[in-house]
Amino acid sequence: PLEKRLEALKKVIFHRLLGTSYEKVMRFRGLARIIADKINPAIKASVDRVALLAKADLETQMVGEFSELQGVMGSQYALLAGENPVIARAIYEHYLPTAAGGELPQTDEGAIVGIADKIDSIAGFFGVGLPPSGTADPYALRRQALGVINILLDKRYPLTLDFLIDESLNGLASVLKKSVPEIKKDVLEFFAGRFANQLIAQGYAYDTVEAVLATGLSDVVLSLEKIKALQAFRENPEFEPVSIAFKRVDNILKDFGNPRIDPTLFIADVEKNLSDSFGIIKKAVEEGIAGNDYNLALKELARLRPPVDAFFDGVMVMDKNEKIKFNRLSLLAEISALFHKIADFSKIVTAG
């Protein structure tokens, strides 16, 4: 039985900086339980069983001779030992996908354990200072990152990369060579790069992808929805004028922080009108975002373009009166923050 082979994994070095294969199993087993709790607590026990047995076939002579059969043999041995067929299937599936565009796990158990195993490897190797460099990727971290992304997209799990990385780094605390915030930043950038490359290869405009991912990548499902909505919005005649208007807003806000709007300091009709319009449109945009309706949110944002243009034409933002200047910059900063909830339009390439 696979369970009787676990002890042997204590003598197998996964990596000299990351401990034994047994220690790795215990790490991603813990992470898999945490993920199961978040997705479907009813399958926590079966997820735990899959994680426990997932690597046990590495110590069999068959996998020792034919390494490409890892997981395949594990599922067969599990069936022969009388394990539930779902457990056996998931042992095989936790390695998926094994190539770009390859088969994805069908069972939740296989998907959850697969995510946990892959995140543990990615966070672990980044944590000990061994990320991929150039074309060198000896631990297949690029493939594993794409695997996590595509499982999340396929299953539409309510899991963020922030959550997964945080929980994984908790389990790796004793071996990390860098600070947790530094590792997390590097891992998130790594995922963003993999995600961007995949989307661009699928036909999405590079600046559309960059504009959305520039606002941060955590929930890959929602990020893809934003990218789809922004790509569709590019067909709207308002797209380019809106992009140009937003760039004007962002360009004037260099190094501006801590906005505080005082309505009593609005003296021109165009700034009062912009403030009033923003209040109404902000509510509609946030309702669209809350409902994951990014097409609606973008259409509402487009309604800000005329009052923004009128504002720039009607007042001098950098007024000599410091209070009036700060108030106008604060209004623009609030508008910029609303746009950034979907995308950084300064990344969009426009003819203007």
Side-chain angles (χ1 to χ4, degrees):
L2 288 175
E3 196 165 2
K4 293 196 174 178
R5 298 183 182 275
L6 282 171
E7 194 67 23
L9 292 179
K10 293 180 179 179
K11 299 173 185 175
V12 178
I13 299 298
F14 170 66
H15 188 277
R16 62 183 180 83
L17 297 176
L18 291 168
T20 65
S21 290
Y22 182 84
E23 288 170 323
K24 176 174 174 56
V25 168
M26 292 302 111
R27 282 198 306 267
F28 74 72
R29 181 190 183 191
L31 179 56
R33 286 198 300 260
I34 292 169
I35 296 171
D37 251 342
K38 201 168 180 68
I39 292 173
N40 181 5
I43 64 169
K44 189 174 176 180
S46 56
V47 164
D48 184 63
R49 186 68 178 167
V50 173
L52 182 67
L53 303 178
K55 305 297 184 185
D57 68 346
L58 296 180
E59 277 302 284
T60 64
Q61 290 183 35
M62 182 68 95
V63 174
E65 187 72 24
F66 304 103
S67 60
E68 66 273 18
L69 291 179
Q70 59 187 7
V72 175
M73 293 312 302
S75 68
Q76 295 303 310
Y77 290 131
L79 286 172
L80 289 168
E83 296 285 346
N84 185 310
V86 172
I87 304 291
R89 174 72 186 173
I91 290 171
Y92 160 72
E93 287 184 338
H94 94 280
Y95 281 105
L96 301 178
T98 56
E103 179 189 4
L104 295 170
Q106 296 303 300
T107 66
D108 284 326
E109 288 85 350
I112 290 169
V113 175
I115 289 171
D117 180 20
K118 293 172 179 64
I119 287 284
D120 175 78
S121 291
I122 295 165
F125 282 112
F126 269 82
V128 296
L130 293 172
S133 59
T135 57
D137 186 12
Y139 309 111
L141 302 187
R142 294 187 178 105
R143 175 174 59 77
Q144 293 188 70
L146 280 176
V148 171
I149 287 168
N150 286 315
I151 292 169
L152 291 174
L153 291 176
D154 182 60
K155 293 291 191 181
R156 299 186 70 84
Y157 287 148
L159 295 171
T160 65
L161 293 175
D162 279 290
F163 167 78
L164 293 171
I165 294 165
D166 284 342
E167 293 296 341
S168 183
L169 290 174
N170 283 342
L172 287 156
S174 64
V175 299
L176 300 178
K177 304 294 185 188
K178 299 193 292 184
S179 72
V180 167
E182 186 182 1
I183 298 165
K184 183 176 177 181
K185 176 177 174 288
D186 290 345
V187 173
L188 283 170
E189 286 177 358
F190 176 65
F191 269 99
R194 297 298 91 213
F195 195 29
N197 287 349
Q198 174 169 291
L199 293 171
I200 292 165
Q202 290 172 353
Y204 290 95
Y206 78 91
D207 54 342
T208 297
V209 173
E210 188 177 350
V212 171
L213 296 187
T215 64
L217 172 65
S218 186
D219 188 317
V220 296
V221 175
L222 294 186
S223 290
L224 180 56
E225 293 301 320
K226 290 178 185 179
I227 289 165
K228 287 178 177 177
L230 186 56
Q231 184 93 339
F233 185 57
R234 295 189 78 138
E235 302 301 315
N236 189 315
E238 278 293 304
F239 173 75
E240 190 146 319
V242 167
S243 297
I244 293 168
F246 175 79
K247 287 179 183 180
R248 291 182 75 182
V249 171
D250 251 20
N251 285 339
I252 207 167
L253 289 172
K254 300 297 183 191
D255 302 319
F256 181 79
N258 302 317
R260 294 185 309 279
I261 297 174
D262 181 353
T264 65
L265 291 174
F266 291 137
I267 54 177
D269 287 343
V270 288
E271 57 187 334
K272 293 174 187 172
N273 181 50
L274 177 57
S275 179
D276 292 343
S277 299
F278 174 66
I280 296 166
I281 291 168
K282 180 182 180 183
K283 185 171 182 291
V285 170
E286 288 179 339
E287 285 175 358
I289 291 172
N292 298 333
D293 189 344
Y294 299 108
N295 291 302
L296 172 64
L298 284 165
K299 286 176 184 174
E300 290 296 330
L301 279 176
R303 292 172 54 209
L304 272 173
R305 198 264 304 171
V308 165
D309 285 348
F311 173 81
F312 279 116
D313 291 342
V315 300
M316 178 69 70
V317 178
M318 303 309 224
D319 196 271
K320 291 179 182 177
N321 183 312
E322 283 297 319
K323 288 186 177 179
I324 291 174
K325 169 185 163 183
F326 182 85
N327 204 49
R328 288 172 179 169
L329 287 170
S330 291
L331 175 57
L332 293 177
E334 293 284 352
I335 291 169
S336 174
L338 185 63
F339 271 80
H340 273 274
K341 288 186 177 181
I342 297 180
D344 179 354
F345 279 73
S346 69
K347 303 293 184 185
I348 298 290
V349 177
T350 58

